[in-house]
Amino acid sequence: MLKRNKIALGALGALVLVVVTPIAVLAFVATFDWNHAKPWVQSRESAALGRSVEIAGDLTAAWHWRQRENGVQVWSPGLRFSGGGVRIGNPDWARQPHFAELKALDIELRLLPLLWRHLDIPSIRLVQPSLDFEQRKDGRATWLFAPAQQQNGQAWGVDLGDIEFDAGEVHIADEARALELHADIVPLEAPIEFGQRVEGDDPTTRREVIRRVGQAAAQRLRAAAEERETKASERGKAAKPPPYLFGWKASGTMAGAAVKGSGRFGGVLALKQPKPFPLRADIDIGTTEIALTGTITDPTSPDAVDMRLWIS
C-alpha cells in the first residue's frame, strides 16, 4: 500500500511539474525586470560583434506565439526584446565613436533553435537609427565585424530574417573614392506604389538619355527589359514589389565634386526569404546625372539586383 502511494504521489508530482513549469516560465518572462540582465546582454553582444555595445535605456521582453511566413500565420514561440538607447561602437581607427546609435532596437528571437545553439532572428527593427559607414583605402570598414573567439570552440549560428527601417540618418565616408555623404531618411506621408510617378520626381536624366540614344534605341531597351520581366514571372521568381515607405535626401562631395541626391525605398529588407526591396534614386555628381529604379531581392547576391540605370 505504501509503495502504491509513493507511485501515485510521484505521478502527481510529475503532472504538477509539467503544468506548473511552463506557467512559471511565462510568469517569469512577463514579470522579470530585464534591466538586471543588461550587463550580461551587453557583454554577450560585445563579444559577438567584437565591438562595444551599450543599452542606455530600458530592456524589456514579451512573448509572441505566432509568426507570419509567406503570408501565412504559423505557430512559432519566441520572445520580442526591446532595448532603448542602443549604441554600437566603431573601431579605434574610425572618425566617429559609434557605428550605430538607435532610439530603440526591437528584436524577435525564436526559442526552439536555441536548443541547437542557433540564434534564429526573424526580424530586427531599427528605431530612429543614426549609422556611420566608413571605409579606409586598405579595405577596413566599420560595417565589417570581428567577433571575439568563442569559448571551447562552440560557436553559435546566426540566422537573420527581415530588417525593418525607420526615420533616421546615415553618414558615409569612403577614402578610396574620396566620398563624403550625409543622408536623411524620412517616412513618406503615404505609401507610393512601385513604378508610380508622383509630384517631385525628376525625369530629366531619363529624357536626356533618351534624346541621346534616340527614341528607337530607347524603345528597344524598354522592350528588352519587359521581356526579362516576363521570363522571370514565368519562372515564378517575380513578385510584385511592395510600396515605397521612406524617402531620402543626401548631399556631400566626391573627389571634390558636389554630390546631391534624393529618392525613396521600401520599409523591410529581407535577408532570408527572397522578397523584392524597391529602390529609386536621382543623383547629381558634378555635371553627371544618374537615375536608377528597380528592386533588390537578395542584397548578398549581384544576380538578385534588377535595376534600370540612366546616366547623362
Side-chain angles (χ1 to χ4, degrees):
M1 185 70 176
L2 182 61
K3 183 177 181 181
R4 193 176 300 173
N5 289 338
K6 288 183 177 179
I7 294 175
L9 288 174
L12 179 61
L15 179 61
V16 171
L17 186 65
V18 169
V19 174
V20 172
T21 299
I23 296 176
V25 172
L26 293 175
F28 172 79
V29 172
T31 59
F32 179 68
D33 184 358
W34 287 90
N35 288 316
H36 296 311
K38 280 201 302 184
W40 182 86
V41 172
Q42 292 173 153
S43 173
R44 290 288 180 172
E45 292 302 319
S46 297
L49 297 179
R51 304 273 186 86
S52 63
V53 176
E54 179 185 358
I55 305 173
D58 289 334
L59 178 63
T60 61
W63 288 102
H64 73 81
W65 303 105
R66 304 186 70 81
Q67 182 74 30
R68 180 175 292 275
E69 293 185 359
N70 298 322
V72 179
Q73 290 283 350
V74 298
W75 186 74
S76 178
L79 292 171
R80 181 178 292 106
F81 289 96
S82 179
V86 176
R87 290 191 287 266
I88 302 174
N90 255 335
D92 294 338
W93 53 262
R95 291 182 294 177
Q96 301 295 328
H98 296 107
F99 167 71
E101 295 184 75
L102 305 104
K103 181 178 180 180
L105 179 64
D106 297 335
I107 298 178
E108 290 190 7
L109 178 66
R110 289 176 174 164
L111 289 184
L112 296 182
L114 296 175
L115 299 175
W116 296 274
R117 300 182 64 83
H118 189 83
L119 295 176
D120 191 343
I121 303 173
S123 70
I124 290 180
R125 181 169 179 256
L126 311 177
V127 182
Q128 296 185 17
S130 176
L131 306 176
D132 179 64
F133 295 97
E134 299 182 37
Q135 181 166 267
R136 287 285 183 88
K137 290 182 179 179
D138 58 11
R140 288 181 295 172
T142 58
W143 61 87
L144 299 177
F145 297 92
Q149 293 293 327
Q150 298 287 337
Q151 295 182 355
N152 303 323
Q154 297 179 338
W156 282 66
V158 179
D159 195 2
L160 180 59
D162 297 343
I163 298 179
E164 301 180 20
F165 295 100
D166 192 16
E169 59 181 0
V170 178
H171 175 253
I172 300 173
D174 188 336
E175 286 187 351
R177 297 171 178 79
L179 174 64
E180 194 84 26
L181 198 65
H182 181 87
D184 290 313
I185 301 170
V186 296
L188 298 174
E189 294 182 358
I192 299 175
E193 293 298 322
F194 179 75
Q196 176 185 346
R197 290 187 179 181
V198 298
E199 184 179 355
D201 287 349
D202 183 8
T204 55
T205 305
R206 298 166 178 79
R207 287 203 304 264
E208 178 65 15
V209 171
I210 292 174
R211 185 188 67 80
R212 292 189 180 188
V213 303
Q215 288 287 346
Q219 290 176 1
R220 288 196 299 271
L221 292 173
R222 188 179 298 111
E226 291 174 353
E227 183 180 357
R228 288 196 302 271
E229 290 177 358
T230 300
K231 289 182 178 180
S233 178
E234 291 173 352
R235 292 194 301 267
K237 295 183 179 180
K240 181 181 179 182
Y244 299 106
L245 295 181
F246 293 93
W248 60 270
K249 287 186 177 181
S251 62
T253 59
M254 181 175 181
V259 177
K260 65 177 182 178
S262 63
R264 49 183 180 258
F265 58 88
V268 179
L269 179 62
L271 302 179
K272 184 177 179 180
Q273 298 178 348
K275 299 177 184 177
F277 179 77
L279 176 64
R280 174 193 167 92
D282 290 284
I283 305 170
D284 295 338
I285 305 176
T287 59
T288 301
E289 298 178 346
I290 302 173
L292 61 87
T293 181
T295 60
I296 301 173
T297 304
D298 181 358
T300 65
S301 172
D303 296 333
V305 178
D306 183 10
M307 291 285 171
R308 295 186 184 181
L309 176 68
W310 295 262
I311 300 178
S312 173

